[in-house]
Structures are given as C-alpha cells and as structure tokens.
Amino acid sequence: MRTIGKLAAATGVKVPTIRFYEQIGLLPAPPRTASDRRLYDDIALRRLSFIRHSRQLGFDLDSIRSLLDLSDHPDRPCGEANVIAERHLADVTAKITQLQALSTELSRMTAECAGGRVSACKVIEVLHNHGLCAQGHDGGTSASATA
C-alpha cells in the first residue's frame, strides 16, 4: 500500500490529477487510514499507469473510461477497444494532415517575408487576409467560407 504522494511519484501523475481521476470515477476511491490518508494498492497503480499512458497517446477521458471498462471485463471481445483506437487514429491522422498544412503555410509566409518594413511584411499581410493563405491549414474552414 502506498500514499497518494508515493503513487504520484511511481506513476508520474500529479496528486491533484489523481484526485481528479477519483472524482470523475476513472480511479476508484481508495481505502483510508484512521487519519484519513488515502492508501493505494498495486491495482490502483496499474490502473493509474493505464490512464497516464492512454493520456500520453492522446485518448480523451470518455475513451479512457470505455477502455478501462473493457479492461475490467477481460472475457469480453476486444473489438470495441480496436474501434476506439481506430477512431482515435483517424483523429490523429487528420490532425497530422492539418499540422503539415500549417507548417507549409508558415514556411511559405516566412520565406516570402522580405525582412524590410512591417508595411511590406508578408507575414503581417497574410495574417490580415486569410484569402492569401494556401488552403488546408485551418481544419476545414477557409477564408471564403468564414467571410
């Protein structure tokens, strides 16, 4: 059994985050000592490590809740876990595409900047007029669609 501080140190999760995970039900409330200190067992350590790793991979809390539920029922088929992971992969792939377009646009903006006065600065000009941007870096909303 370990205190919340030792659990935090063992998992790399901050104490307030552990309390938050307990509050929203991702981590069960642990037993307490007579002096009201939380005590965590190895199951809580494994569960919190699972949550932390899932967060590092970018899963949202609802997906983590679903994955934990699946983990708590090891005899269930794992297809649902795969669906959750595939959905997250699709989201990540879309974000990568958007970030690549953003990188391309920022590179184009900075390459076209002459380094002179602000009145002729391509970066400032493009930021004032989204229509001068190449398409694709804004997550699907273009200047013409938002103007």
Side-chain angles (χ1 to χ4, degrees), residues 102-132:
L102 178 62
S103 176
T104 299
E105 182 60 31
L106 288 170
S107 294
R108 186 185 70 79
M109 284 171 47
T110 57
E112 291 179 8
C113 184
R117 298 201 173 271
V118 169
S119 61
C121 178
K122 193 64 173 179
V123 172
I124 299 297
E125 181 183 357
V126 170
L127 291 174
H128 274 292
N129 183 354
H130 192 188
L132 298 174

Side-chain angles (χ1 to χ4, degrees), residues 43-115:
I43 295 169
L45 174 72
R46 282 181 32 92
R47 190 171 183 92
L48 185 57
S49 295
F50 181 100
I51 295 167
R52 180 174 186 257
H53 190 207
S54 298
R55 293 296 292 155
Q56 287 174 328
L57 289 171
F59 284 97
D60 62 34
L61 294 176
D62 287 335
S63 294
I64 294 171
R65 185 179 314 283
S66 296
L67 291 166
L68 283 168
D69 182 57
L70 289 167
S71 179
D72 290 341
H73 300 93
D75 292 333
R76 288 174 55 186
C78 70
E80 190 178 338
N82 199 45
V83 167
I84 293 168
E86 286 175 343
R87 185 175 56 233
H88 183 56
L89 176 59
D91 291 344
V92 168
T93 301
K95 286 177 186 174
I96 289 169
T97 300
Q98 184 180 356
L99 286 171
Q100 288 171 331
L102 178 62
S103 176
T104 299
E105 182 60 31
L106 288 170
S107 294
R108 186 185 70 79
M109 284 171 47
T110 57
E112 291 179 8
C113 184

